[in-house]
Amino acid sequence: MKYCFGVDIGGTTVKLGLLGTEGDIIDKWEIISHTDNEGAAVLPDIADAIEKKLAEHHIEKENVIGIGVGVPAPVTEDGIVNGSVNLGWKYKKVRKELEALTGLKVKVGNDANVAALGEMWKGGGSGEKNMVMVTLGTGVGGGVIINGKVLTGAHGAGGEIGHICVNYSETETCGCGKRGCLEQYASATGIVRLAKQKLKSTDKQTLLKEEKVTAKDVFDAVKEGDEVAKEIAIAFGEYLGCGLANLAAVTDPSVIVLGGGVSKAGDVLLSFIEKPYKEHAFFANKEVRFVLATLGNDAGICGAAKLIIDEVC
C-alpha cells in the first residue's frame, strides 16, 4: 500500500493527516504552530511530526509518495511563499526546505485552494471538475478549480475571492488596503458590520443587539422570522451573489461550495445567495448548484493529500 501526508498549516495549529492514495484517512492529528522567530520552527516541527508518525505506524519512506501542504499565503508553482503574516514568514522556499528535512517529495499550495481541492475530491463538490469554493470565516477565502486543477495564477494568488470589488462607493478600507472588497460584506466580520449599520438606522423590533451581534446571531434570528435580520441577510446575499456571478462569467463552474464558519448557518444561507446570483449571472452560468461544504476541518488535509497525489501519480 502507498501512503501520503496532507498538511494544513494555520497560524495557531498545523493539522496533519496520514492517508492512503485513494483518500482514506488513516490517522490525523495536530501540532502547535510555533510562529515566533519568523516561524523558523514550523517546517522542522512538521518534519519531526511526520517522522514520528511513520515510526508509529511502521511505514517505510519508500511507501510514501510525498507530502502535500496548504499554507495561508499565496504560493508559487515552485512552492515559494513571499510572506505569510500568520506564520511570521517573509521569503520561504517551503517545498525545497521540507523536502530537505524529510527526504520526501513535497507539493505546496494556498490553503483555501487546497481546501477547495479537498471538497472537490471527497466533499460537497465530489464528482465535479469545475468548482468554486468560498470560505466565509473571519475573512473571505476561496479556491477555483478548472478541469480538476487548482487555478494558481502567475503569483500564486488565484482564487482570492474575498478581494473582488463589489462596491465602488465604499469609503471604509478593507484589511488589504483597498475599498469595497467582498470580504467587507460577506465574511463573519462583514456581516457584523452590515448588522450594526442596519441596527443604527432602523427602529423596527428585532432580536438582535447592536453591542454584541454576531454573524451567527443574524442567521439564528432569520430562522426565527426576524425582519431586520432578514434585511441584513438579503444585503449580505446581494453582495456575495453578485460577486459570484461575476466570477462565474470567467470560470464557468458547475458547483459553488460554501464553507467556513458562516456556512454553519446551514441551508438557510443558500436562498439569500442563489436569488441575487441568478439575477446577475450570465445566462450560461445560471444553473450552477450551490452546496454546503461537508469535510469541515478535514478539507485542508484531504486537499493537500490530493495535491501530492495529482503531482506524483
Side-chain angles (χ1 to χ4, degrees), residues 61-283:
K61 280 190 180 178
E62 54 260 36
N63 292 322
V64 180
I65 65 165
I67 306 165
V69 183
V71 177
V75 182
T76 70
E77 282 290 336
D78 294 330
I80 295 171
V81 173
N82 285 297
S84 174
V85 174
N86 289 350
L87 301 177
W89 290 348
K90 292 181 180 175
Y91 178 84
K92 198 78 166 170
K93 295 180 178 179
V94 181
R95 179 184 61 79
K96 186 175 181 180
E97 289 186 30
L98 194 55
E99 285 183 343
L101 287 164
T102 62
L104 294 168
K105 188 171 182 63
V106 174
K107 181 70 175 177
V108 189
N110 168 266
D111 58 350
N113 287 340
V114 163
L117 196 59
E119 286 289 341
M120 182 198 75
W121 189 32
K122 294 291 180 179
S126 180
E128 304 290 353
K129 294 296 182 186
N130 294 281
M131 185 188 101
V132 169
M133 182 171 174
V134 188
T135 52
L136 306 171
T138 306
V140 173
V144 177
I145 297 175
I146 298 175
N147 293 329
K149 300 294 183 183
V150 172
L151 177 66
T152 303
H155 308 97
E160 285 290 349
I161 293 166
H163 302 289
I164 295 171
C165 185
V166 292
N167 182 0
Y168 296 108
S169 301
E170 181 60 65
T171 57
E172 293 184 24
T173 305
C174 175
C176 74
K178 304 300 180 183
R179 295 182 177 89
C181 293
L182 180 59
E183 189 167 289
Q184 290 181 272
Y185 314 98
S187 63
T189 49
I191 293 166
V192 168
R193 180 169 167 267
L194 290 175
K196 289 185 174 180
Q197 289 172 351
K198 173 60 71 175
L199 292 170
K200 276 188 173 75
S201 64
T202 187
D203 55 6
K204 292 180 182 177
Q205 286 292 106
T206 177
L207 297 169
L208 302 173
K209 307 295 181 188
E210 182 183 339
E211 60 275 7
K212 58 178 183 178
V213 67
T214 66
K216 181 179 184 299
D217 292 336
V218 171
F219 285 101
D220 284 348
V222 166
K223 292 171 188 175
E224 295 294 324
D226 188 293
E227 279 300 315
V228 173
K230 186 177 178 182
E231 289 172 12
I232 296 163
I234 288 170
F236 148 83
E238 182 69 24
Y239 285 117
L240 184 52
C242 183
L244 291 174
N246 290 338
L247 185 63
V250 179
T251 60
D252 190 22
S254 54
V255 62
I256 295 175
V257 180
L258 300 171
V262 174
S263 73
K264 292 178 182 177
D267 289 338
V268 68
L269 197 72
L270 301 181
S271 62
F272 290 102
I273 303 164
E274 286 179 302
K275 184 175 182 291
Y277 171 87
K278 289 188 175 181
E279 288 172 354
H280 292 286
F282 180 58
F283 73 89

